[in-house]
Amino acid sequence: AELDRRAPFMAQRALYPDPALPDQAWLFMITTTGCVLQGDRLALEITLGPGARAHVTTQSATKIHSMDANYARQTQHFTLDEGAFLEFLPEPLIPHRNARYASDTRIVIHPSASMLCSEIVQPGRKYHHPDECFGVTLLTLASSASRPCGANLFNEKLVIDPVRHAMRQAGVMEKFDVFGNVILCTAPDIAERVHARLTAEVDMDQGIAYGACHLPNDAGLIFKVLGRETAQVRRKVRDFWEIARQEITGANIPPPFFWQ
């Protein structure tokens, strides 16, 4: 209904390409500079009215360029009215060596609305240079959610600070390279049905680990994945997306793009 976009953060016009949900608008975000650079301040605000459906993603991975000064920051605000449904599934985040990046995501959601929000974080350009793998200087990803009345639902923050806290230790990344984090804000009955269909596993031989648990205050579920390669994590995030959409809308997700 309304679209305001300013370089270097751009948004294409809404498309309706999904036969399973023909009323769901798809919107692709584009960073016109190619990489996120030091000093960049990016802001994304999305509001869904009653019963609205949308799928928002990015055209490619978000690459955080190396920095010798300052840092980059992104703020994201999502507001979902009664019965709204939002799938926010951006492509992976790739922090380059010596990058500094902070992201703050805030969700205001009606009890009858549902939102799927994912993050996939790669360790850097690990095949480009040995020091690229977890060579980021500082990366923080904060998420919080509340009701329209202001009642807080949950707060979560991921901090990657390799100089102070080694990434290869047990309980952090150990032998894994890629991290996936998916938040599903939805009604308690839907969350229970989704959770009942999920499995959890730690397979060190295949290099994959995943599982889900309930968010506090009946806010929904959080699903976490560790993998050695991005493709492994993407597949598990996609599996979770498929289950969540089926339980929320009764529709299947579209087939993957041929380049994925």
Side-chain angles (χ1 to χ4, degrees), residues 21-117:
L21 291 177
D23 64 335
Q24 178 168 302
W26 281 56
L27 191 139
F28 288 82
M29 302 298 303
I30 299 172
T31 303
T32 57
T33 54
C35 284
V36 177
L37 307 173
Q38 60 191 40
D40 279 355
R41 301 294 183 265
L42 306 176
L44 175 63
E45 297 182 8
I46 298 178
T47 300
L48 270 65
R53 290 175 172 172
H55 178 103
V56 179
T57 186
T58 53
Q59 95 284 13
S60 66
T62 299
K63 296 167 281 292
I64 314 298
H65 206 279
S66 298
M67 302 175 185
D68 57 16
N70 211 307
Y71 68 103
R73 179 176 176 80
Q74 175 174 267
T75 59
Q76 302 180 136
H77 291 98
F78 302 98
T79 304
L80 278 70
D81 210 327
E82 183 177 1
F85 176 50
L86 174 62
E87 298 170 338
F88 181 64
L89 303 172
E91 293 294 308
L93 186 71
I94 307 177
H96 293 190
R97 183 173 28 155
N98 300 324
R100 292 180 289 272
Y101 180 75
S103 176
D104 184 16
T105 300
R106 300 185 183 184
I107 302 167
V108 178
I109 185 168
H110 189 277
S112 64
S114 296
M115 176 175 175
L116 189 71
C117 179

Side-chain angles (χ1 to χ4, degrees), residues 194-231:
V194 173
H195 191 264
R197 295 177 59 184
L198 297 173
T199 59
E201 185 177 2
V202 177
D203 188 336
M204 299 302 292
D205 292 334
Q206 296 297 318
I208 188 73
Y210 56 91
C213 63
H214 287 84
L215 290 167
N217 300 308
D218 289 328
L221 301 172
I222 189 164
F223 179 70
K224 296 182 183 290
V225 189
L226 294 174
R228 293 204 185 112
E229 300 294 338
T230 304

